[in-house]
Amino acid sequence: MRPVAKKAKKIVEDLTREVGIGEVFTGKVTRIADFGAFVEILPGKDGLVHISQLSRERVNRTEDVLQRRR
């Protein structure tokens, strides 16, 4: 399969796949809230990272770990 076809196949699979609890993703932070951050884990799908999961140490404010881009 050609690289372009593989990329297209991955895009379609990501658009249609179901996300399971406990799966680990790397993504872009789309919104910061008092209780954590919303991260785009797949195209058009956001997941919540709870404030307690942002660091090994206690985090008082989400902004202490994540920065807003302006």
Side-chain angles (χ1 to χ4, degrees):
M1 188 179 291
R2 293 184 175 176
V4 174
K6 285 182 182 180
K7 186 174 180 179
K9 181 180 176 187
K10 171 115 174 73
I11 290 170
V12 171
E13 288 172 348
D14 287 347
L15 286 170
T16 59
R17 89 174 261 211
E18 295 292 321
V19 177
I21 295 173
E23 286 188 73
V24 178
F25 293 88
T26 300
K28 176 182 164 188
V29 174
T30 58
R31 191 172 53 151
I32 295 175
D34 292 339
F35 49 85
F38 291 92
V39 178
E40 184 177 37
I41 56 174
L42 293 171
K45 293 184 183 180
D46 287 353
L48 172 66
V49 179
H50 190 265
I51 191 169
S52 65
Q53 300 296 311
L54 294 174
S55 175
R56 292 182 188 264
E57 292 83 35
R58 177 168 168 66
V59 175
N60 291 321
R61 294 180 8 179
T62 306
E63 289 85 359
D64 292 343
V65 178
L66 301 173
Q67 295 178 355
R68 295 180 194 264
R69 288 194 174 178
R70 301 196 192 279

